[in-house]
Amino acid sequence: MDRISGGIQKLIYNLIYASIIFSLMYLLGLVIGLELNIFIQVIIIFIGSILVKFFLLNPLILYALLAVSILGAVLVHRFISPFLFTVGDRIFFLFDNIIGNLQGKENIASDNMLLFWGILLILISIFTAFILFKMKKIYLLLPLYIGSFIIYWYNFYDAAYWMISLFLVLFLTLMGLDKFYKVRITVKNPIHYEIEDFYSPWLKTVTTYGIIIVSIAMLLPKSNSYIQWPWLQETIYSIYPDIVKLRSQDGTERESESASLFSFSMTGYQGSKGKLGGPVVLSDKKIMTIHADSNHYLRGNVKHRYMGNHWEALTGSLENHPLGYNFSGITEFEMENYYHETQISITNHSFASTTIFSPYRAVEVYSNDDHVLNVSYDNTLYFPNGVYDREKYFVRVQKPLPYGILASRNLQLKKDSILDLGKYLQVPEDKITLRTKELTRELVKDKKTDLNKATAIESYLRNNYEYNLNVSEVPDDREFIDYFLFDEQEGYCTYFATAMSIMLRLEGIPTRYIEGYLTQETEEPGIYEVRQKNAHAWVEAFIEPVGWMTFEPTPVYPIQSRLENFLPITVENEDSISSEIDNDIREPRPGFEDMLADDSLDGDDAATYNENDDLTAELQKNITNVLLIIVLLIIPIKFLIGLFKHIYHEHRAKKLTNNKRIIYLYKQICRLLGFLSYSQVHGETHHEYADRIAYKFFTHNVKGIQEITDIFVRSKYGNASGSDEDVLDLMIYRKTLEKRLRAQWRPIIFYYRKYVRKGYMEV
């Protein structure tokens, strides 16, 4: 009877243990996007959790299996198929993807989804089994499970509501069983349980946790409304900024139906009323992941009418188009001669908007969802039913070629052809001050063309005003541009873009004030992320004879190449320059195995074999084994030598003067740029080199190659001593290039070439 009772108890405990794990694993599968049938999930979770428990309670068996597996893998790799390199590379890709996901930089790749879920299953099973069967203190399960359920429920995973209910039922049952089996059995009647010993702990447990359940149910919000308590909100936000994503605020899931047009006020760059200027605090919240071939200006909205302290949009009528429809009106001849086609995909993260973000000039939009596309005259795009969290769309773009190429191809576009030209030339005459007009006239007085005028104003703003987020509020009685140009003399993108837009209009050049985002490349090439702090405002001006062009008056951002002095020589030359504008086509990098392979024998020699000469065959086998051992030993030894040499050179560099250290770091930077296929051309000055590649190596909040080159030139050829800050800037830029190169080559190849082969450290 005792054996039967013990067996039933063990079975019940195992079922509850596996079911508790299922309650959390099912929810985590939803979070990472796992597409696996629920019945298959139940089977995998049950088998996996029981195996984890078994090995946790029998570690010697686990150690023996691991030892046998490792030995078997080594033997198979050596004598049958060398698969360990492939396995190692696959494991590294998995964990690199997981780390990137935990850092919020990328989603879990589809190939890694099931493996990642399996790792989570093992970790959660170890934790749960250890608590239940080792420590036997089941209340320690509450922080992980209850905390996870509440967090995910607040992030609009409604399945968490049912999973927390399942968990609490299982937990209370487990508590009751735990008390039940501790009841003393009387000697006279083994079947009779003492009423007091049984019911007292059971009632106490049910009462205590019943109160907890009811309290949680009462405290959880039942709608999108939240308590209006500014002090509490600010205090919590300062500790936990991600609180803005919780259910107590408007959600970003489609069920919340909260999508609206993009507004700069949601980025932190301006107040809700749209007034320009004042200090800003930007959010690091990630909102989009972009797959593209290069950095892009993502247009969110276009503003037309300037009112002295804010901008207004005059959208006009919108055209309705189905998905996949080419609404550009661009002819095939124009596509071939005036544009370069590119495509981007955008995935939202905890972000909902009816605005479709795209570079200029979008021509087609695709999505897996059912949408109707609205398009404005200014090529701004909208989905009326919105794009929500984890939803994706694709945009095909015809990007205009640079000014120099378009002018050389005799493109003739006139501003008189612009529909409703007046709204692009609007200036509030009663608000723009006389000294703003005089400054504008002074800047362009010797300029003959619209492009010369635009670049003169752009250069003036970039070179004479400072970028600063912590500026003072604009007085109510002051016009925004006048206050910026002559009093504040510093600001952020809205200051620079507003000033340039109106100054160009004063000279009869049509402009559009654009608000949107700049893409920020991650460590993996071709993948860009957008955070709220990447919001930006810039200028589009209609420059005859080529049409709308992007201008960047904000000094911390690089200017896109315009090739003003472009001279067409050959078709091949034009194609190569056009290719460089958007993205270089990188040569495939050699694989790890290719770099390790030594020169082998020719085919004839390798095939020569004397069947009767066993001694020769044995000797060849021994030589092969010796060579294999030498190779396996040499690579780690060379790696360690390279690592220590790197540490030694870095230690010596720290003892150099700042000027010499800057020269040392700049040489390494140039070598890294060379590895990235952007070497300095013979006869090219340092500044020419930096100007040519600047737009390819831009990173937000990191000094670009042009500023780095200025520091180097001052240190090498000037009399001033370099500062510690200058050294730090070069070290940060070197680290940024290292990350980009590591992502391009893959980490194994990167570290092999850095430490085993001659890298870039010894200069």
Side-chain angles (χ1 to χ4, degrees):
M1 182 69 182
D2 290 340
R3 291 182 180 178
I4 295 174
S5 177
I8 294 174
Q9 178 188 5
K10 186 176 181 180
L11 176 62
I12 293 174
Y13 264 85
N14 285 333
L15 287 174
I16 293 176
Y17 157 70
S19 300
I20 286 175
I21 293 171
F22 169 79
S23 67
L24 185 54
M25 287 305 304
Y26 175 75
L27 184 59
L28 292 176
L30 292 178
V31 172
I32 66 175
L34 179 70
E35 296 180 358
L36 191 64
N37 185 278
I38 188 171
F39 297 107
I40 297 177
Q41 288 190 47
V42 170
I43 295 171
I44 293 174
I45 291 170
F46 182 81
I47 295 174
S49 60
I50 296 300
L51 285 175
V52 168
K53 174 202 167 188
F54 176 78
F55 288 127
L56 182 68
L57 299 179
N58 303 276
L60 291 179
I61 297 177
L62 175 63
Y63 300 151
L65 284 176
L66 287 175
V68 171
S69 300
I70 293 172
L71 179 61
V74 172
L75 292 175
V76 170
H77 176 81
R78 170 64 183 86
F79 296 105
I80 300 177
S81 174
F83 72 100
L84 288 181
F85 290 127
T86 303
V87 172
D89 199 43
R90 183 69 180 84
I91 292 173
F92 185 89
F93 168 66
L94 169 64
F95 283 95
D96 185 58
N97 185 212
I98 292 173
I99 292 171
N101 177 262
L102 294 176
Q103 294 174 340
K105 297 179 178 179
E106 57 184 316
N107 296 324
I108 296 295
S110 57
D111 293 343
N112 293 333
M113 197 100 47
L114 186 59
L115 292 173
F116 180 43
W117 187 74
I119 292 172
L120 292 176
L121 172 60
I122 293 172
L123 294 177
I124 292 172
S125 298
I126 291 173
F127 171 80
T128 308
F130 187 79
I131 296 299
L132 292 182
F133 303 108
K134 283 281 192 179
M135 298 182 67
K136 297 183 179 179
K137 296 181 179 180
I138 62 177
Y139 59 85
L140 293 178
L141 294 175
L142 293 174
L144 172 67
Y145 281 87
I146 297 294
S148 299
F149 292 136
I150 291 177
I151 287 173
Y152 286 122
W153 188 86
Y154 264 87
N155 282 277
F156 283 88
Y157 290 96
D158 290 330
Y161 183 83
W162 302 106
M163 291 300 107
I164 194 174
S165 302
L166 173 62
F167 169 78
L168 289 172
V169 169
L170 294 168
F171 184 82
L172 289 173
T173 304
L174 196 60
M175 287 287 292
L177 287 173
D178 186 57
K179 297 296 182 183
F180 176 81
Y181 284 107
K182 289 180 180 178
V183 171
R184 288 182 287 113
I185 302 175
T186 61
V187 177
K188 293 181 180 179
N189 187 356
I191 304 176
H192 174 70
Y193 299 95
E194 294 183 0
I195 300 299
E196 182 181 357
D197 289 340
F198 177 77
Y199 282 105
S200 177
W202 176 260
L203 290 174
K204 185 183 294 184
T205 299
V206 171
T207 303
T208 302
Y209 288 98
I211 293 173
I212 292 175
I213 293 169
V214 173
S215 299
I216 292 174
M218 292 177 66
L219 290 173
L220 291 177
K222 303 303 188 298
S223 70
N224 287 333
S225 301
Y226 61 96
I227 299 172
Q228 298 289 340
W229 191 354
W231 174 84
L232 179 62
Q233 293 167 15
E234 292 175 5
T235 303
I236 294 177
Y237 182 78
S238 64
I239 299 172
Y240 180 42
D242 284 343
I243 199 78
V244 297
K245 297 164 58 178
L246 300 186
R247 191 178 282 248
S248 58
Q249 300 274 4
D250 291 337
T252 57
E253 295 285 336
R254 180 164 291 280
E255 291 77 8
S256 66
E257 298 183 353
S258 60
S260 59
L261 289 174
F262 168 72
S263 169
F264 227 40
S265 60
M266 68 176 60
T267 70
Y269 268 110
Q270 66 186 28
S272 58
K273 295 182 180 179
K275 181 180 178 182
L276 296 166
V280 297
V281 178
L282 303 181
S283 168
D284 195 48
K285 176 185 174 184
K286 180 180 177 180
I287 59 170
M288 288 184 281
T289 295
I290 316 295
H291 287 75
D293 59 359
S294 62
N295 291 84
H296 288 292
Y297 284 80
L298 298 179
R299 306 162 85 245
N301 59 45
V302 176
K303 299 293 182 68
H304 308 89
R305 181 186 294 163
Y306 176 64
M307 306 303 292
N309 62 1
H310 69 278
W311 284 90
E312 294 180 354
L314 303 174
T315 306
S317 60
L318 299 175
E319 297 180 354
N320 298 331
H321 301 292
L323 295 178
Y325 176 79
N326 188 328
F327 50 81
S328 66
I330 301 174
T331 66
E332 185 174 345
F333 173 83
E334 290 171 334
M335 287 184 185
E336 293 177 355
N337 289 275
Y338 305 141
Y339 298 92
H340 177 79
E341 182 174 311
T342 185
Q343 297 187 29
I344 67 171
S345 72
I346 298 180
T347 304
N348 282 7
H349 300 286
S350 299
F351 181 61
S353 176
T354 57
T355 300
I356 301 301
F357 295 91
S358 167
Y360 183 76
R361 169 180 185 184
V363 297
E364 291 179 24
V365 179
Y366 303 87
S367 173
N368 293 328
D369 298 312
D370 186 18
H371 288 293
V372 174
L373 179 68
N374 293 342
V375 183
S376 76
Y377 176 74
D378 294 304
N379 200 241
T380 50
L381 316 173
Y382 311 96
F383 280 161
N385 56 347
V387 181
Y388 291 83
D389 183 36
R390 299 186 302 278
E391 294 183 354
K392 178 188 290 189
Y393 55 91
F394 305 83
V395 184
R396 189 162 71 91
V397 179
Q398 293 293 344
K399 188 175 181 180
L401 296 177
Y403 174 89
I405 297 178
L406 293 176
S408 71
R409 294 179 178 178
N410 201 32
L411 179 63
Q412 295 294 325
L413 296 179
K414 301 296 183 181
K415 53 188 162 187
D416 293 338
S417 63
I418 300 175
L419 183 65
D420 198 3
L421 177 61
K423 68 180 181 181
Y424 304 102
L425 293 171
Q426 176 268 344
V427 174
E429 294 290 347
D430 58 328
K431 298 183 183 295
I432 302 301
T433 62
L434 180 60
R435 56 181 179 175
T436 299
K437 297 176 181 178
E438 290 177 346
L439 174 61
T440 304
R441 284 195 294 268
E442 181 65 23
L443 292 175
V444 302
K445 64 180 181 180
D446 297 325
K447 310 304 177 186
K448 304 298 183 184
T449 66
D450 285 353
L451 178 64
N452 294 148
K453 294 177 181 179
T455 54
I457 293 173
E458 180 187 54
S459 298
Y460 175 79
L461 293 172
R462 292 176 63 88
N463 296 327
N464 292 277
Y465 298 89
E466 297 293 328
Y467 183 86
N468 187 8
L469 298 175
N470 189 26
V471 292
S472 58
E473 292 284 354
V474 180
D476 292 337
D477 60 344
R478 293 295 304 277
E479 191 273 323
F480 177 69
I481 298 174
D482 180 86
Y483 182 75
F484 165 56
L485 294 177
F486 303 104
D487 293 306
E488 189 75 29
Q489 297 188 359
E490 59 182 8
Y492 38 90
C493 56
T494 58
Y495 287 77
F496 292 91
T498 299
M500 183 172 182
S501 293
I502 297 304
M503 293 171 82
L504 287 177
R505 290 184 179 186
L506 290 171
E507 290 301 312
I509 300 175
T511 62
R512 298 191 288 218
Y513 175 84
I514 313 294
E515 295 173 339
Y517 293 98
L518 277 177
T519 55
Q520 175 68 58
E521 187 168 13
T522 60
E523 294 183 10
E524 186 174 350
I527 298 180
Y528 301 80
E529 64 181 26
V530 173
R531 300 178 182 273
Q532 288 291 19
K533 67 180 182 181
N534 300 131
H536 189 45
W538 63 95
V539 179
E540 288 179 357
F542 193 94
I543 304 298
E544 294 181 341
V546 303
W548 292 105
M549 292 177 57
T550 297
F551 289 88
E552 183 53 85
T554 307
V556 295
Y557 300 100
I559 297 173
Q560 291 187 334
S561 176
R562 296 177 187 134
L563 303 178
E564 292 96 328
N565 300 318
F566 174 79
L567 294 175
I569 301 173
T570 63
V571 174
E572 290 79 6
N573 184 45
E574 291 187 23
D575 290 341
S576 65
I577 293 176
S578 180
S579 175
E580 183 183 350
I581 292 162
D582 285 277
N583 196 28
D584 57 305
I585 301 174
R586 298 183 174 93
E587 293 289 335
R589 296 290 175 184
F592 183 55
E593 297 82 2
D594 296 336
M595 295 190 299
L596 294 180
D598 291 327
D599 293 334
S600 58
L601 300 171
D602 334 289
D604 293 337
D605 293 337
T608 303
Y609 177 73
N610 187 348
E611 294 181 359
N612 298 321
D613 195 349
D614 292 336
L615 181 62
T616 303
E618 185 66 24
L619 181 61
Q620 290 177 344
K621 182 178 180 181
N622 291 335
I623 292 174
T624 302
N625 290 335
V626 171
L627 289 175
L628 178 62
I629 293 172
I630 291 174
V631 170
L632 293 176
L633 289 176
I634 286 176
I635 292 176
I637 291 172
K638 290 189 69 176
F639 179 86
L640 290 174
I641 292 173
L643 177 61
F644 285 122
K645 287 177 70 176
H646 161 57
I647 295 172
Y648 171 72
H649 283 290
E650 288 292 283
H651 179 71
R652 285 189 59 188
K654 290 180 180 178
K655 298 181 179 180
L656 298 173
T657 63
N658 283 344
N659 283 30
K660 290 184 178 179
R661 195 174 180 192
I662 287 170
I663 296 171
Y664 165 82
L665 290 169
Y666 187 78
K667 289 181 179 179
Q668 292 181 347
I669 287 170
C670 288
R671 189 166 291 181
L672 285 167
L673 291 170
F675 288 143
L676 289 164
S677 304
Y678 287 95
S679 300
Q680 190 169 0
V681 178
H682 179 70
E684 191 175 36
T685 68
H686 296 300
H687 283 111
E688 289 173 343
Y689 175 45
D691 292 340
R692 177 169 61 86
I693 67 173
Y695 74 101
K696 281 288 185 179
F697 296 95
F698 165 69
T699 303
H700 184 65
N701 287 337
V702 175
K703 286 190 176 179
I705 186 61
Q706 293 165 313
E707 291 85 354
I708 295 300
T709 301
D710 287 338
I711 295 171
F712 163 72
V713 171
R714 289 198 308 268
S715 300
K716 184 171 183 179
Y717 303 108
N719 297 322
S721 298
S723 64
D724 293 340
E725 185 180 353
D726 291 338
V727 174
L728 180 61
D729 287 335
L730 267 76
M731 292 179 67
I732 292 173
Y733 195 75
R734 183 184 69 177
K735 185 177 180 180
T736 302
L737 292 180
E738 282 183 321
K739 288 182 178 180
R740 185 163 178 171
L741 188 62
R742 184 170 67 241
Q744 181 172 310
W745 281 355
R746 295 188 305 177
I748 292 177
I749 300 174
F750 172 79
Y751 289 115
Y752 173 83
R753 297 190 67 174
K754 180 177 180 180
Y755 297 124
V756 180
R757 292 179 61 182
K758 185 177 180 181
Y760 61 87
M761 286 299 176
E762 298 180 28
V763 293

